[in-house]
């Protein structure tokens, strides 16, 4: 505990076991911070009571309004950010009968020492349905190659509806192992939604239950036995990319190898040369069941979504990146633009909009014209160009971001 705080604040967590959030009229947000080393423990959540207005959220803070230094990865495993690793013979995080649970932005690792049939995130609700569970923006990996029956994410019983999105899962390659899996929930009134995940090097990448999984915008690569197992058991299966041949799925690309940024370093961000994933996804920003508009790193996805957990952005040398370029108020003489800059930890970046007034002229070069400096606030930059006189104008965004 932080002994600099008063006891009334320090001892907020002196409860035993579960918590009835509804009766106590509470929302619990448990923020996880990186210590000197990774957390090595078995996290058990059991018997909580919640609803839409009273829920439990376990997450890593990253917004400037939440924390001074982000505790969250940027879509690639980062030893300097929060990590949770399992102890021997145990799951990493196990939740039993915890409705309205959110697990967001963690790095989780199974290190079971050869023990079989364990998982990084295991949801097992035995007493209630529906449960509304949200698992998103996590990086999950298996450190013991070839361990039998281990899962990255496992939803076992009475788990619907659930939402699994923007996760990267890799290394679950032992016998009967899987990246993302589901048991057979016989409640046919709702579904598990598996959206925009990237699963790599797993025996089976995604295993559905019985006609209860909606799988859209997922990348599954280096799957050993099966990519999207038992395809007839998906309620909806579309806009996925697999390295194997499967029989069903609307707009699904099969027998394809996705081009990642640095596969050897387990950097599963999309490469600029990727042909099938960029701009080929379904946009969920206005979805009635689950509306979201970011990728695993927190970057806004824009209008044309990419398939997988990451969205392609042009990265700067110090790790910052520009994304979500949106133009508006477009006329023959003017337009406005907004963009998002990620990774500017000390808010010292500037963003310029360079433009050329006549692309029909061979000498037109945006970089030698006078730029317009965009106005920035908390990573969001905006500005307008006026007085254009010639059609076919070109523009180029440029940023200057000294080392953070």
């Amino acid at each position: 505990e932080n002994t600099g705080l008063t006891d009334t604040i320090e001892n907020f967590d002196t409860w035993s076991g579960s918590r009835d959030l509804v009766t106590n009229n509470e929302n619990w947000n448990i923020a996880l911070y990186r210590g000197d080393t990774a957390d090595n423990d078995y996290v058990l959540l059991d018997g909580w009571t919640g609803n839409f207005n009273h829920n439990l959220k376990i997450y890593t803070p990253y917004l400037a309004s939440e924390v001074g230094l982000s505790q969250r990865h940027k879509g690639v495993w980062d030893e300097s950010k929060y990590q949770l690793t399992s102890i021997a013979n145990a799951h990493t995080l196990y939740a039993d009968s915890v409705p309205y649970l959110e697990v967001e932005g963690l790095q989780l690792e199974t290190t079971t020492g050869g023990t079989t049939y364990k998982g990084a995130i295991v949801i097992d609700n035995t007493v209630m349905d529906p449960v509304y569970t949200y698992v998103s923006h996590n990086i999950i990996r298996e450190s013991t190659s070839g361990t039998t029956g281990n899962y990255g994410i496992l939803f076992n019983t009475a788990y619907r509806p659930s939402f699994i999105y923007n996760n990267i899962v890799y290394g679950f390659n032992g016998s009967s192992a899987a990246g993302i899996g589901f048991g057979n929930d016989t409640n046919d009134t709702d579904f598990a939604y598996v959206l925009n995940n990237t699963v790599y090097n797993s025996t089976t990448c995604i295993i559905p239950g019985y006609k209860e999984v909606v799988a859209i915008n997922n990348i599954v690569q280096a799957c050993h036995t099966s990519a999207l197992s038992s395809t007839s058991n998906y309620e909806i299966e579309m806009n996925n990319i697999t390295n194997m041949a499967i029989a069903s799925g609307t707009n699904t690309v099969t027998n394809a190898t996705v081009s990642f940024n640095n596969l050897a370093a387990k950097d599963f961000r999309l490469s600029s040369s990727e042909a099938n994933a960029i701009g080929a996804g379904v946009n969920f920003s206005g979805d009635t069941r689950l509306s979201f508009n970011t990728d695993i790193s927190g970057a806004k996805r824009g209008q044309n979504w990419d398939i997988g957990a990451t969205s392609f952005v042009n990265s700067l040398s110090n790790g910052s990146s520009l994304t979500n370029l949106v133009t508006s108020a477009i006329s023959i003489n003017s337009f406005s633009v907004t963009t998002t800059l990620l990774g500017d930890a000390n808010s010292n970046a500037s963003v310029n909009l360079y433009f050329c007034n006549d692309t029909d002229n061979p000498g037109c070069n945006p970089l030698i014209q006078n730029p317009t400096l965009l106005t920035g606030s908390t990573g969001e930059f905006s500005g307008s160009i006026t007085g254009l006189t010639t059609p076919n104008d070109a523009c180029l965004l440029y940023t200057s971001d000294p080392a953070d």
Side-chain angles (χ1 to χ4, degrees):
E1 290 184 335
N2 184 347
T3 56
L5 301 174
T6 65
D7 287 342
T8 55
I9 298 175
E10 282 183 341
N11 297 325
F12 80 98
D13 56 352
T14 54
W15 87 100
S16 177
S18 58
R19 184 77 171 175
D20 188 334
L21 300 179
V22 178
T23 300
N24 290 288
N25 192 27
E26 295 172 343
N27 287 287
W28 279 49
N29 296 282
I30 300 178
L32 304 176
Y33 292 79
R34 167 73 181 186
D36 294 334
T37 60
D39 278 350
N40 179 233
D41 209 343
Y42 167 45
V43 176
L44 171 64
L45 306 169
D46 184 17
W48 290 60
T49 300
N51 59 25
F52 270 121
N53 298 314
H54 305 89
N55 69 303
L56 171 62
K57 179 178 180 179
I58 301 173
Y59 75 109
T60 52
Y62 72 101
L63 296 174
S65 58
E66 299 174 322
V67 65
L69 179 64
S70 171
Q71 301 299 302
R72 186 172 300 188
H73 59 78
K74 293 182 179 179
V76 181
W77 191 275
D78 187 342
E79 296 290 337
S80 70
K81 303 303 181 183
Y82 180 81
Q83 302 167 54
L84 175 62
T85 64
S86 64
I87 61 175
N89 308 320
H91 302 300
T92 310
L93 187 153
Y94 178 72
D96 183 12
S97 305
V98 184
Y100 303 89
L101 169 67
E102 298 179 46
V103 180
E104 178 187 308
L106 279 61
Q107 296 180 129
L108 301 108
E109 183 175 35
T110 58
T111 56
T112 56
T115 301
T116 60
Y117 297 101
K118 301 299 178 184
I121 297 178
V122 179
I123 308 297
D124 194 359
N125 291 286
T126 57
V127 297
M128 56 187 68
D129 198 4
V131 289
Y132 287 92
T133 305
Y134 301 82
V135 176
S136 71
H137 300 81
N138 303 290
I139 300 178
I140 300 169
R141 70 184 188 184
E142 166 69 80
S143 65
T144 308
S145 180
T147 304
T148 298
N150 279 3
Y151 278 71
I153 302 172
L154 174 61
F155 280 73
N156 197 18
T157 58
Y159 51 76
R160 292 183 284 164
S162 54
F163 304 89
I164 303 94
Y165 63 102
N166 280 345
N167 300 285
I168 292 175
V169 184
Y170 58 94
F172 293 84
N173 54 20
S175 175
S176 302
I180 301 174
F182 301 87
N184 288 325
D185 186 353
T186 57
N187 175 10
D188 290 331
T189 61
D190 218 320
F191 307 104
Y193 296 84
V194 183
L195 314 172
N196 283 99
N197 300 283
T198 297
V199 184
Y200 184 83
N201 185 25
S202 295
T203 302
T204 298
C205 283
I206 301 177
I207 298 178
Y210 178 70
K211 286 192 177 297
E212 56 199 21
V213 173
V214 174
I216 303 174
N217 288 357
N218 299 288
I219 291 175
V220 290
Q221 292 284 284
C223 311
H224 300 188
T225 301
S226 180
L228 296 164
S229 174
S230 305
T231 56
S232 62
N233 282 354
Y234 289 92
E235 182 69 20
I236 300 174
E237 192 264 292
M238 60 187 293
N239 290 73
N240 300 299
I241 301 175
T242 85
N243 66 298
M244 306 178 79
I246 59 175
S248 66
T250 304
N251 296 328
T252 289
V253 180
T254 62
N255 293 317
T257 299
V258 173
S259 179
F260 294 115
N261 195 44
N262 188 340
L263 191 56
K266 300 299 186 292
D267 181 351
F268 297 103
R269 292 175 294 186
L270 297 175
S271 166
S272 60
S273 63
E274 169 51 33
N276 294 309
I278 296 176
V282 176
N283 187 327
F284 284 96
S285 60
D287 189 75
T288 57
R289 293 304 307 272
L290 178 67
S291 177
F292 66 102
N293 65 357
T294 64
D295 72 356
I296 188 173
S297 70
K300 292 185 178 179
R301 287 186 175 269
Q303 185 63 34
N304 298 319
W305 280 36
D306 299 339
I307 296 174
T310 70
S311 55
F312 173 73
V313 294
N314 289 310
S315 296
L316 307 175
S317 59
N318 70 344
S320 299
S321 57
L322 283 170
T323 185
N324 194 36
L325 173 64
V326 178
T327 55
S328 61
I330 301 172
S331 72
I332 193 171
N333 302 118
S334 64
F335 66 93
S336 298
V337 63
T338 62
T339 189
T340 301
L341 177 65
L342 300 175
D344 181 26
N346 58 359
S347 301
N348 66 345
S350 60
V351 177
N352 293 282
L353 180 66
Y354 288 80
F355 65 97
C356 178
N357 200 35
D358 185 6
T359 54
D360 290 335
N361 183 342
C364 177
N365 182 354
L367 289 178
I368 65 175
Q369 310 299 316
N370 293 323
T372 293
L373 180 65
L374 302 187
T375 301
S377 176
T378 62
E380 301 292 329
F381 289 80
S382 62
S384 298
I385 297 295
T386 60
L388 300 176
T389 58
T390 306
N392 304 318
D393 304 292
C395 66
L396 172 68
L397 279 174
Y398 173 80
T399 185
S400 174
D401 186 9
D404 289 328

